[in-house]
Amino acid sequence: MAPVQTAHHRILLKLSGEALMGDDAYGINHATIQRIVGEIAEVTRLGVELAVVIGGGNIFRGVAGGSVGMDRATADYMGMLATVMNALALADTMNKAGLTARVMSAIAIEQVVEPYVRPKALQYLEEGKVVVFAAGTGNPFFTTDTAAALRGAEIGADVVLKATKVDGVYTADPKKDPTATRYHRISFDEAMARNLGIMDATAFALCRDQKLPIKVFSIFKAGALRRVVLGEDEGTLVHV
Ligand SMILES: Nc1ncnc2c1ncn2[C@@H]1O[C@H](COP(=O)(O)OP(=O)(O)O)[C@@H](O)[C@H]1O
Ligand SMILES: O=c1ccn([C@@H]2O[C@H](COP(=O)(O)OP(=O)(O)O)[C@@H](O)[C@H]2O)c(=O)[nH]1
């Protein structure tokens, strides 16, 4: 059988923490994480190199902690630790599904996970391992979307895939405005000028400056990740 032609060679996949909740109120839903790992396994079988940045919103968000009077930086460190828990769960599920996954953390917790070292991450990717980047950027006041942009640029990914709760970028937040319509593609400058809330401005600006396109698509839609990897019409492309 001839190899399938993919649209991308090396991918940075940003998975929202909330994607792991499934229908639960918080935490990690077993069936949901297995389904997501199944989809990841399917695209790695196509021969693409894949790294993941995982969020933490299913366990803790710094903004929420800050809003109830906690010191914002402390709350953000808690948020980053939440992403480490998700990363461990994700890598464990991947390893059980027959993939070889490695977690690398932006914060040193050496008894638990290895630290992020760029050449090591590149080596793992070249070996066909899935690298799960934990603890975001390692800095408070940032998001895991910005971590995805940063790690995506560092590893030379050819696209950042944002797998989220909505199926693309809309003219307004579709959860609040039912009349909002979806863009097929939109430039970074327009997305930033229109202040479209799908990603924070820091993440957008970093990807724009590095000429790293972003594809936004739904994590709930079965087969969407594969379709994106094959370059089929799915979600919204944010381009330079
Ligand atoms: N213009 C927009 N287009 C699409 N989604 C938007 C837009 N503005 C705000 N959103 C909201 O952004 C959310 C995704 O962002 P975020 O909560 O940061 O996701 P994640 O948890 O995947 O990082 C969507 O659930 C959607 O409700
Ligand atoms: O570089 C980073 C990445 C994340 N966080 C904290 O970790 C939380 C979880 O990440 P995020 O909200 O981006 O997760 P997601 O929305 O993807 O579930 C954030 O709210 C922040 O408090 C941070 O401080 N710095």
Side-chain angles (χ1 to χ4, degrees):
M1 201 170 72
V4 180
Q5 194 65 40
T6 57
H8 305 289
H9 168 66
R10 181 174 285 173
I11 286 166
L12 190 295
L13 174 66
K14 159 69 208 306
L15 273 181
S16 124
E18 280 179 42
L20 302 183
M21 292 192 315
D23 292 329
D24 297 347
Y26 72 97
I28 302 166
N29 178 277
H30 183 67
T32 303
I33 197 170
Q34 284 204 313
R35 180 186 63 78
I36 293 171
V37 165
E39 300 217 2
I40 289 173
E42 206 183 323
V43 300
T44 59
R45 282 197 290 272
L46 298 172
V48 287
E49 294 174 3
L50 190 129
V52 181
V53 166
I54 180 83
N58 55 322
I59 301 173
F60 196 81
R61 266 187 213 279
V63 180
S67 69
V68 293
M70 265 189 93
D71 178 65
R72 171 66 192 266
T74 305
D76 279 340
Y77 281 113
M78 290 174 68
M80 286 184 260
L81 293 177
T83 74
V84 176
M85 287 198 256
N86 283 336
L88 291 173
L90 188 64
D92 182 79
T93 311
M94 285 178 177
N95 287 326
K96 294 212 165 69
L99 294 166
T100 306
R102 294 283 184 269
V103 180
M104 300 189 118
S105 172
I107 292 176
I109 332 173
E110 58 195 48
Q111 280 85 357
V112 184
V113 275
E114 66 178 295
Y116 171 64
V117 176
R118 180 173 171 265
K120 199 78 189 280
L122 292 172
Q123 181 197 320
Y124 286 151
L125 291 170
E126 281 155 16
E127 290 167 355
K129 298 184 172 85
V130 178
V131 182
V132 182
F133 294 122
T137 64
N139 300 292
F141 306 106
F142 287 90
T143 64
T144 48
D145 281 351
T146 300
L150 174 66
R151 295 290 185 245
E154 285 189 86
I155 64 167
D158 44 49
V159 69
V160 168
L161 304 183
K162 175 168 164 109
T164 186
K165 289 157 278 184
V166 292
D167 64 352
V169 182
Y170 282 73
T171 47
D173 185 346
K175 292 203 167 153
K176 295 184 183 142
D177 180 355
T179 67
T181 54
R182 185 163 62 86
Y183 293 98
H184 185 243
R185 45 190 289 143
I186 184 170
S187 69
F188 282 109
D189 286 340
E190 192 177 348
M192 290 168 77
R194 288 181 183 271
N195 218 359
L196 299 175
I198 184 78
M199 263 177 131
D200 58 273
T202 314
F204 269 144
L206 185 51
C207 284
R208 181 192 59 188
D209 294 351
Q210 297 308 314
K211 299 185 174 38
L212 177 57
I214 303 170
K215 193 93 192 241
V216 179
F217 67 101
S218 170
I219 186 63
F220 301 126
K221 188 171 166 190
L225 175 61
R226 183 172 201 273
R227 285 170 53 76
V228 168
V229 169
L230 291 175
E232 293 173 14
D233 186 15
E234 187 67 55
T236 300
L237 178 71
V238 190
H239 60 90
V240 182

